[in-house]
Amino acid sequence: MFMRFDIQLPPETEVAPTPEATQTRLELPRVHTEAAAIIDATAQPEQEIPRSAMKVPAVVDHPLEDEFARAAPITEPPADELLSAAPEPELLWEVLEVRRGDSLSALFSRSDLSAGDLHRLTQADGGEALRRIHPGDEVHIRADDERRLLALRYKLREDATLIAERADQTFSVTLEETPPEVATKEAVGTISTSLFIAGRNAGLDDRLIMELAGIFGWDIDFALDIRSGDRFAVLYEELYLDGEYIRSGNILAAEFVSRGRNFRAVRHVDSDGHASYYSPEGRSMRKAFLRSPVDFHRISSHFNPNRLHPVLGTNRPHRGVDYAAPTGTPVRAAGDGRIVHLGRHGGYGNTIIIQHGSGYRTLYAHLSRYARSLKSGQRVRQGQVIGHVGMSGLATGPHLHYEFLVDGKHRDPVRVKLPDADPIPERYRDSFLAEADSLLTRLDRLQPTEFALRDDDQASR
């Protein structure tokens, strides 16, 4: 049973609802409905409620109302703040393919990159490696909308990547290297026609063959001394990355038997990281002078004090050796020394003379040109390129005329006994001998069986 109550306030006490109250009532209609239902359910039919006992609040209280009041107002940030907070789009890497005949300058020009950035990059420490790029290589770059270079990546080899990053108006260049796995390999061969053919048949690549010749090049003239039946044995490194072969490494130990003479060499790296080859007793394999300062095809004229000059037609001593080689072939300093002459020298044409200490002097004539930035008085190192083969002066064809003087007297460069370089330093001697013993034991086990097998194989052909 429901009872109806008509509640009226006197006119003088009637209060108009505030906006807040109106808002609260609109937002919370369910609260008022439930309150009314409670009043209806608990009222007694006989009970009469006096007007003085009635208290009607303008707004019905609710616990959620306090939470709404304490909540922070929701406001939208200014538009400029929204724009500044948005992340900048990441610049993508561009791939520049090196074409035949390309230089880094050509790549920059084709990609609308500035010559100024090119100069700053190649002048940075480590950036000079970018001056030598090869067809088929890829150069990865990142540039901004104004085509300013921001970063560059270039794989120098399989296990090393050059990384350049912009720092204001300069570039920082680093080399990211992945250490390869190293395996030791063995190779033996017997020469029948040439060292290159025998080396390739034994599984050596061209670089290892050249290194092998370089190790023994002070004792063996590989243009004149090699004979059929000469033998070699090599312990060398192969490098792998993620299980895949990438390239050959260093020769660790080697033996060469030439015309019955036996030569052995072992590699040693000192505490400064410098590597050299020594005999089993610790004598340096390198001499103070190279046997030949140029890679040549043949000797076109030997040392001869009674030679008939091919141009002048008169008897004139030939106090050196002529090495026939194509124009432009690099000529290297035979030993450490100081340049005492660089320029024209009569019939010799373009000539360089180097003084080695107090007792030795070498001469290089008929050059087509000198090495860049070389000048008289400059010190040079053994093996450094000082010029290029030509036919300047009195010459009938491109060749290097090379003279070797001891205490002012000419000696035959092919036959003169070359002085040894310094032996292994005493502080490294014990560690070297222990290392050499292990490597030479492997060579001893390798040679007899392998050489016999090679000889039997060749005899059956």
Side-chain angles (χ1 to χ4, degrees):
M1 178 177 178
F2 296 96
M3 298 181 64
R4 179 183 179 88
F5 295 92
D6 292 328
I7 302 174
Q8 295 182 355
L9 292 177
E12 60 274 12
T13 61
E14 195 170 53
V15 180
T18 64
E20 291 83 356
T22 304
Q23 181 180 1
T24 303
R25 290 191 182 95
L26 291 174
E27 290 177 353
L28 303 172
R30 187 173 61 85
V31 175
H32 292 280
T33 304
E34 291 176 356
I38 292 173
I39 293 174
D40 288 342
T42 56
Q44 300 297 325
E46 303 84 9
Q47 186 176 3
E48 186 173 338
I49 301 175
R51 179 178 295 183
S52 60
M54 297 294 294
K55 293 183 180 180
V56 181
V59 180
V60 178
D61 293 330
H62 191 274
L64 290 179
E65 186 177 13
D66 292 338
E67 295 297 331
F68 292 142
R70 287 195 295 268
I74 300 174
T75 59
E76 291 290 336
D80 57 346
E81 290 187 14
L82 287 173
L83 291 175
S84 63
E88 294 184 2
E90 184 178 357
L91 296 173
L92 299 178
W93 287 92
E94 302 174 39
V95 181
L96 312 181
E97 184 176 350
V98 181
R99 303 171 187 170
R100 186 176 182 85
D102 267 350
S103 63
L104 193 62
S105 175
L107 284 184
F108 269 54
S109 176
R110 196 160 62 236
S111 303
D112 294 328
L113 299 172
S114 77
D117 280 349
L118 171 66
H119 176 75
R120 286 185 283 269
L121 176 61
T122 54
Q123 293 301 310
D125 290 341
E128 64 276 2
L130 291 167
R131 298 173 189 169
R132 298 177 296 276
I133 58 178
H134 308 284
D137 288 351
E138 291 182 345
V139 179
H140 296 246
I141 66 163
R142 288 174 62 187
D144 61 17
D145 293 338
E146 298 176 357
R147 300 307 290 168
R148 288 193 320 150
L149 180 66
L150 303 179
L152 178 145
R153 296 175 63 92
Y154 176 63
K155 182 175 284 189
L156 294 176
R157 54 181 188 270
E158 292 85 349
D159 58 341
T161 300
L162 182 147
I163 301 174
E165 295 179 319
R166 191 181 195 93
D168 294 330
Q169 294 302 312
T170 61
F171 289 91
S172 64
V173 179
T174 57
L175 191 63
E176 186 179 84
E177 294 186 277
T178 304
E181 304 146 16
V182 181
T184 302
K185 299 293 183 177
E186 305 166 343
V188 296
T190 300
I191 297 173
S192 58
T193 56
S194 74
L195 174 62
F196 267 95
I197 293 176
R200 288 173 178 170
N201 289 341
L204 302 179
D205 58 31
D206 290 354
R207 191 193 64 80
L208 284 173
I209 296 170
M210 290 299 297
E211 185 175 340
L212 178 64
I215 292 170
F216 298 107
W218 282 273
D219 296 298
I220 302 171
D221 189 327
F222 283 89
L224 303 175
D225 293 345
I226 297 300
R227 297 289 185 271
S228 177
D230 288 352
R231 306 168 176 177
F232 60 85
V234 185
L235 293 177
Y236 66 98
E237 297 173 330
E238 281 189 348
L239 307 183
Y240 293 82
L241 201 60
D242 297 328
E244 293 188 8
Y245 172 83
I246 55 176
R247 67 176 186 277
S248 60
N250 301 301
I251 290 178
L252 303 177
E255 180 170 2
F256 208 101
V257 180
S258 175
R259 306 173 73 173
R261 297 177 300 162
N262 186 291
F263 302 95
R264 305 181 106 189
V266 177
R267 186 174 188 265
H268 177 75
V269 182
D270 64 22
S271 58
D272 295 325
H274 299 139
S276 297
Y277 289 91
Y278 297 90
S279 72
E281 299 77 27
R283 294 192 306 272
S284 176
M285 293 302 296
R286 77 184 278 265
K287 300 293 187 286
F289 295 93
L290 298 175
R291 177 61 71 181
S292 169
V294 66
D295 295 330
F296 59 95
H297 288 183
R298 61 188 174 87
I299 291 181
S300 54
S301 183
H302 287 269
F303 184 89
N304 184 358
N306 302 307
R307 183 196 63 157
L308 182 68
H309 196 280
V311 176
L312 300 177
T314 59
N315 285 328
R316 178 174 292 189
H318 192 243
R319 296 189 174 97
V321 173
D322 290 347
Y323 295 107
T327 297
T329 301
V331 176
R332 304 179 186 277
D336 297 349
R338 182 174 60 86
I339 297 175
V340 295
H341 175 86
L342 186 148
R344 300 286 297 188
H345 189 52
Y348 285 134
N350 298 328
T351 303
I352 294 175
I353 301 175
I354 301 177
Q355 184 71 39
H356 311 272
S358 59
Y360 297 90
R361 178 174 285 202
T362 54
L363 178 147
Y364 315 78
H366 304 308
L367 302 175
S368 60
R369 58 190 174 91
Y370 309 111
R372 186 179 301 175
S373 302
L374 206 65
K375 58 183 181 295
S376 185
Q378 180 178 333
R379 295 199 64 83
V380 293
R381 302 286 295 177
Q382 185 183 70
Q384 179 180 335
V385 174
I386 57 174
H388 300 267
V389 168
M391 51 184 297
S392 59
L394 295 176
T396 57
H399 70 280
L400 171 70
H401 175 79
Y402 175 61
E403 296 183 4
F404 192 92
L405 294 86
V406 181
D407 295 328
K409 296 181 179 179
H410 287 85
R411 296 287 187 267
D412 185 350
V414 174
R415 294 180 172 83
V416 67
K417 179 175 173 54
L418 299 176
D420 292 331
D422 294 333
I424 192 166
E426 196 61 35
R427 65 183 181 276
Y428 301 129
R429 187 173 183 81
D430 290 342
S431 62
F432 166 76
L433 291 176
E435 183 181 8
D437 183 65
S438 173
L439 292 170
L440 293 173
T441 298
R442 291 189 63 176
L443 278 181
D444 289 336
R445 289 200 304 265
L446 172 66
Q447 287 188 87
T449 303
E450 292 291 340
F451 277 152
L453 290 174
R454 296 274 176 173
D455 290 342
D456 291 343
D457 181 59
Q458 292 201 7
S460 64
R461 292 183 180 178

